[in-house]
Amino acid sequence: MALTLKRPVNVRVIVTELFRHRLLAEVEYALNQLDVQEQQLEFQSRRTVSELSRSSPKQAHNARTQWEQERERIADARRDLIEKKNQAQQLALDSEFAYATLEGLVEVNTGDSLSDKLRPAEILVRDDVIVEIR
């Protein structure tokens, strides 16, 4: 009897100018999305806190606290993205970059080495073309 199990599949990319350009574009897009989220949060929270402060000061205080927590989460995400952008700009051409981890399926049978079967697989990609499966 065979079973199918999930295991991690690491995607590594050989750094090229095209990859670096795409990675930087992804980071810029994510930074822009954070800006939009922050603007929406600012607008909604000001309106909500203003309305609540007239009717329920305690709820207004709770809303301010939630607003500050969300602003901090966005600030943390922005710092992470800026760090990722700086790292992407410094990637050496033809080096390998750990890009993502996916899930893959593996079939196991009686007598198989479980540690061998569940070891993460790896796909090496160059400009969207798989060059090696490890």
Side-chain angles (χ1 to χ4, degrees):
M1 179 173 142
L3 288 175
T4 303
L5 304 174
K6 292 181 182 178
R7 72 170 174 181
V9 178
N10 298 318
V11 178
R12 296 186 64 79
V13 176
I14 297 172
V15 177
T16 62
E17 284 296 334
L18 176 62
F19 170 74
R20 186 183 300 156
H21 176 74
R22 286 182 181 171
L23 184 59
L24 289 169
E26 286 176 17
V27 171
E28 284 297 327
Y29 178 78
L31 284 167
N32 290 336
Q33 292 302 305
L34 281 178
D35 289 341
V36 169
Q37 285 178 17
E38 190 171 39
Q39 290 170 3
Q40 289 173 344
L41 175 67
E42 184 80 24
F43 175 76
Q44 291 171 352
S45 60
R46 283 182 192 263
R47 189 183 63 190
T48 302
V49 169
S50 174
E51 290 171 8
L52 286 175
S53 40
R54 287 180 278 235
S55 61
S56 174
K58 183 176 179 172
Q59 284 182 330
H61 174 72
N62 291 341
R64 273 190 211 94
T65 302
Q66 288 178 332
W67 175 37
E68 288 300 323
Q69 289 171 346
E70 186 63 17
R71 283 180 61 197
E72 188 60 35
R73 184 198 65 79
I74 290 172
D76 288 344
R78 179 174 282 108
R79 281 190 291 274
D80 290 345
L81 285 169
I82 289 170
E83 182 179 327
K84 187 174 183 178
K85 180 180 177 180
N86 291 336
Q87 290 172 348
Q89 290 169 334
Q90 296 173 8
L91 289 173
L93 291 178
D94 294 323
S95 64
E96 290 185 15
F97 176 76
Y99 183 67
T101 301
L102 309 172
E103 284 187 347
L105 300 176
V106 63
E107 189 173 292
V108 295
N109 293 291
T110 304
D112 287 345
S113 168
L114 188 59
S115 62
D116 286 346
K117 289 287 187 165
L118 294 182
R119 183 177 307 128
E122 194 168 80
I123 298 173
L124 185 62
V125 178
R126 177 185 208 108
D127 292 336
D128 293 332
V129 177
I130 297 172
V131 294
E132 187 178 349
I133 297 174
R134 303 173 181 161

